[in-house]
Amino acid sequence: MSDLKKTLPTEYMVLNMGPSHPVTHGTVKFLVTLDGETIVDFVVDIGYLHRGFEKMCENSTWEQVFPYTDRLNYVPPMINNVGYALAVEKLLGIDVPERNKYIRVIASELSRISDHLTNVAASGLELGAFTAFLYFVEARELVWDMLESLCGARLTSNYVRIGGLKNDLPEDFKDQTTAVFKRCRELWSDVDKLLTKNRIFIDRVRDVGIMPPDEAIAWGFTGPCLRASGVPYDVRKANPYLVYDRMDFEIPIGEKGDNFDRYLVRMEEIIQSMRIVEQALKEIPSGPINVDMPEYRWQSKDDIYNKIESLIFHFKTVTEGIKPPPGEVYFAVEGTNGELGFYLVSDGRGKPYKCRVRPPCFPLTAAMPRMIKGSLIADVVPTFDMINMIGGECDR
Amino acid sequence: MEHMNVTLKKLKDSFPDSIIDTHSFRGDDTAIVKKEHIVKICEFLRDDDDLLYNFMMDLTAVDYLGREPRFEVVYHFYSLKHNRRVRIKAPVPESNCTIDSIVSLWIGADWFEREVYDLYGIVFKGHPNLKRILLYEGFEGHPLRKDYPVKERQPLIGPKN
């Protein structure tokens, strides 16, 4: 065999994976240089889903940005809505009512569950575990039904407003949650049995795509991928926003930082998010969901028709947009892939002067070459699955 | 300012000539620094025992068209140990549209700097691979500049070779 190697002339092969490839959810291209099956060089080419998010925001009113945020990370759009709303509210210096905070937490955590379910399901599918995929897609469908009953849409939620929400919780929401979570837990434990001790699955993910904690920090990792490397950073714990400081939940931590740890962290976070939703539904107070500030949040239809001040404010906020004071803020929430930050600059007019999103999967995608060089071509699939790159968020 | 933030105070004491201004708006501590000293200041923020800003969370730019200097490169740092955040801003004039790269300090800054170069046209000196990232080679102009029209069309181009 060694003689054969000596005389066999080998040269590197360059392989294009993508932009349209089954594992590249969204569109992304890898330029892989191979020595046999070993990856020598790996270049990630992004930008195929770039729609000019910031440019569009700069030309819309502050309220009109919400539908665009839905289309950043489109699997958990509620978290983007909430993050943007909180950033604008920080800029305005207003605080929303208690009930609103609880509903936002519920919406965020339901979105997180749906995202992690999607991520684990898709990873399972691409590694051959089709049953796990079907089970988690069923669970995700149930969670999406809940989100649909909350805001009327499965994905493009557009639910949160500056200083308020589109509508209150539906009446039977608590019962619906109980029923859905019961089924979700059954499906979760089925998938857990199918994957967590599955030899074939473990062989594909364990010790692949390892990221040591110090390097993960230098690359700008946040979220499940950072926690899988053993760094206990979660925005919900470090800088609690809304009512996360009143919730009892754990932050799962990995040991090695390989793909298996990332899978385990996500699985545990599904359970923790369900706990948060249940606690929030138990403790949620009654009361208003919108701030009583007609200059920022529209009044009820009734008031707009019957009170002249409400009508005037409505006219002003719809045509010109709300007007935050000049200044700049950065506000971060825990997105499903990590820290989702909004950096807003206001010049005192009705449109954002600058609306920057810190996309959590952007640095994760940037670190793909670091994680994958030296491994086999087959390892691209689980590693790329587990960083959960979402084109809409990465390319904006 | 009798009650000044630890980070800003420390920065002012250590770099009296480099800090142009500091302010805190809505709890966000901000230091505006001279762009010539950006690498030195970032290194200090990362390595000083009282600061330890080990995360380079975000790097972006803002175009203040009509103001001199026109651009501002904005950095957001986070310290895991002290659970603190700071924003550093470095004004960059249009006539000398460059700033030193901080990729040598945080490897994760690589793509962020490429994005700013792509969308604003600010050149990061010392960057290992400064080319467009979200847009394609052959795109004309930098779309996030305020003087780039929102409905500007670009010619469709084929692959490079």
Side-chain angles (χ1 to χ4, degrees), chain A residues 169-377:
Chain A
L169 286 180
E171 266 174 24
D172 60 341
F173 198 74
K174 209 167 171 177
D175 302 333
Q176 204 186 343
T177 313
T178 318
V180 165
F181 280 6
K182 185 169 171 284
R183 180 73 186 131
C184 279
R185 286 202 166 95
E186 285 167 17
L187 290 163
W188 186 93
S189 80
D190 282 347
V191 171
D192 186 44
K193 281 176 207 148
L194 280 170
L195 290 183
T196 310
K197 287 181 183 165
N198 180 336
R199 181 68 197 274
I200 304 166
F201 181 72
I202 291 174
D203 282 351
R204 290 293 301 275
V205 289
R206 187 180 268 172
D207 295 330
V208 174
I210 296 179
M211 194 56 131
D214 51 335
E215 275 193 64
I217 291 173
W219 276 101
F221 274 37
T222 45
C225 292
L226 179 70
R227 294 193 281 276
S229 298
V231 184
Y233 174 62
D234 186 313
V235 187
R236 293 173 294 171
K237 288 279 188 197
N239 311 102
Y241 51 97
L242 296 169
V243 288
Y244 280 112
D245 48 346
R246 295 176 216 167
M247 299 292 154
D248 176 26
F249 65 103
E250 309 285 331
I251 299 294
I253 304 290
E255 285 173 350
K256 262 195 205 153
D258 59 1
N259 288 329
F260 191 53
D261 279 355
R262 290 177 195 138
Y263 157 78
L264 292 175
V265 166
R266 283 209 172 84
M267 285 294 271
E268 184 56 31
E269 281 189 10
I270 294 173
I271 295 294
Q272 297 299 331
S273 290
M274 287 194 215
R275 278 182 64 197
I276 298 176
V277 174
E278 282 163 349
Q279 287 172 58
L281 278 173
K282 209 162 114 193
E283 292 166 17
I284 188 166
S286 53
I289 52 165
N290 296 321
V291 290
D292 189 18
M293 293 177 178
E295 66 272 39
Y296 299 139
R297 176 76 186 113
W298 303 346
Q299 303 286 288
S300 68
K301 208 77 184 167
D302 200 36
D303 281 349
I304 292 169
Y305 284 142
N306 293 305
K307 286 189 191 161
I308 186 68
E309 305 90 336
S310 299
L311 180 67
I312 293 169
F313 276 125
H314 183 81
F315 182 74
K316 293 284 270 185
T317 48
V318 170
T319 53
E320 295 172 6
I322 62 162
K323 289 179 181 161
E328 53 191 326
V329 290
Y330 177 83
F331 193 86
V333 295
E334 180 70 21
T336 51
N337 286 331
E339 174 165 325
L340 177 76
F342 283 90
Y343 172 60
L344 307 174
V345 180
S346 162
D347 58 352
R349 276 183 279 195
K351 292 173 180 175
Y353 191 78
K354 162 102 183 159
C355 177
R356 153 85 181 165
V357 185
R358 186 232 182 239
C361 68
F362 189 72
L364 299 175
T365 314
M368 269 297 282
R370 159 66 187 83
M371 290 189 278
I372 207 70
K373 263 185 212 173
S375 342
L376 302 178
I377 179 96

